[in-house]
Amino acid sequence: MDPDFDDAVAVEDLVELERRYAEQRRGGAVSRGCQFEYAWGLVRSPYGADVRKGVALLQELLPKGTREEQRDCIFYLALGNYRLKEYERALEHVERLLGAEPQNTQGLRLRRRIRDSMKRGEPHRAP
């Protein structure tokens, strides 16, 4: 197990992230930072429905962010799709990250894990 890829967010932390996100939504505007933190928590959830919601929030954020924010979104999009066993999509995102940052160690490690999962023939979903 690798904590960068396998650790689940604590339930109480996810509840707090969701509370902050909902509060900002009720106020009419969610900051990019708040949306990213909530998406990050959802992607780290042990529940597939949460991970899917996190991926959707990250996809929404991607075109709006700075270059650094986009890099973080792309990494967590790759991780979310990996956790959903959507390996082709995960690989597309991690390759995009590595295209911009070829020496990104988290990206390199995640790409290795995705490819290993694909080689082992682990069940995956069609893109």
Side-chain angles (χ1 to χ4, degrees), residues 5-65:
F5 310 131
D6 300 314
D7 277 358
V9 67
V11 173
E12 57 274 6
D13 293 341
L14 187 54
V15 167
E16 176 59 21
L17 292 169
E18 183 174 32
R19 185 195 64 73
R20 280 191 256 156
Y21 178 78
E23 185 177 292
Q24 285 194 15
R25 273 190 80 166
R26 281 191 302 274
V30 178
S31 72
R32 289 194 319 251
C34 181
Q35 184 170 337
F36 177 80
E37 288 175 0
Y38 182 43
W40 171 89
L42 289 166
V43 164
R44 310 246 6 154
S45 169
Y47 304 107
D50 286 349
V51 177
R52 277 190 262 308
K53 186 175 180 180
V55 165
L57 289 171
L58 289 166
Q59 287 174 316
E60 218 177 85
L61 275 175
L62 186 60
K64 302 173 187 173

Side-chain angles (χ1 to χ4, degrees), residues 67-125:
R67 185 173 179 178
E68 185 175 305
E69 290 168 338
Q70 288 178 339
R71 179 199 64 216
D72 292 343
C73 284
I74 291 168
F75 174 79
Y76 285 104
L77 281 166
L79 179 62
N81 281 288
Y82 168 75
R83 291 180 66 130
L84 291 168
K85 297 184 182 342
E86 293 181 4
Y87 300 128
E88 289 88 1
R89 283 188 183 156
L91 194 56
E92 286 173 18
H93 289 299
V94 83
E95 291 295 353
R96 183 174 173 192
L97 172 67
L98 292 171
E101 295 183 13
Q103 301 305 314
N104 183 299
T105 55
Q106 275 188 313
L108 291 167
R109 288 178 26 241
L110 182 54
R111 180 175 65 184
R112 189 174 324 112
R113 288 191 67 156
I114 295 165
R115 287 179 174 171
D116 288 349
S117 294
M118 293 172 88
K119 283 180 192 169
R120 285 193 301 268
E122 291 183 10
H124 63 278
R125 299 177 54 147

